Amino acid sequence: MCQFISEDYLKNKKDWIRVTRYGDEGEVIFQELFFNGNEIEYRLIQEGWDYGIKASSCKKLEKKEDPHSDKYYYVLQGCKGETEQEIILIKTED
């Protein structure tokens, strides 16, 4: 994720990344980001009993600190039809 942001997104270089995580009941959740040099196409694919695909186009990816822990997370902003979409929570390296 950090390479996608620092080497590609901030330099307006086309790239994509898939973040894989697991829900509370073990279901697989894929979050895919496709950056075309201008906008980020976001796709959420959720497997299991709550299967579904959600997609949006977003203007900005921003890093935010979690005020209650030593973690930070990335959010997509300026998404069509949504105000903000959290992507991934990452523990800060000491």
Side-chain angles (χ1 to χ4, degrees):
M1 184 72 176
C2 294
Q3 179 180 344
F4 172 79
I5 293 167
S6 65
E7 295 183 16
D8 300 325
Y9 173 71
L10 293 177
K11 295 179 182 176
N12 292 332
K13 181 180 172 188
K14 295 178 184 180
D15 200 1
W16 71 278
I17 187 171
R18 174 185 282 167
V19 177
T20 305
R21 60 189 180 109
Y22 298 91
D24 294 336
E25 297 180 11
E27 69 276 15
V28 179
I29 301 168
F30 297 109
Q31 293 177 301
E32 298 175 331
L33 305 175
F34 300 90
F35 182 58
N36 65 12
N38 186 35
E39 289 187 328
I40 299 170
E41 295 293 327
Y42 169 74
R43 187 166 43 201
L44 172 71
I45 303 166
Q46 191 164 339
E47 297 185 349
W49 67 271
D50 194 21
Y51 177 79
I53 298 174
K54 180 172 131 181
S56 188
S57 178
C58 306
K59 297 283 184 196
K60 184 178 177 184
L61 181 64
E62 186 173 311
K63 180 179 176 180
K64 293 191 174 187
E65 292 185 20
D66 183 352
H68 306 291
S69 71
D70 61 345
K71 298 179 180 180
Y72 61 91
Y73 57 99
Y74 291 97
V75 293
L76 288 167
Q77 296 182 330
C79 300
K80 294 177 183 173
E82 296 183 39
T83 55
E84 195 171 88
Q85 177 65 49
E86 182 177 322
I87 297 298
I88 186 170
L89 187 65
I90 299 173
K91 184 174 181 355
T92 304
E93 296 290 329
D94 293 335

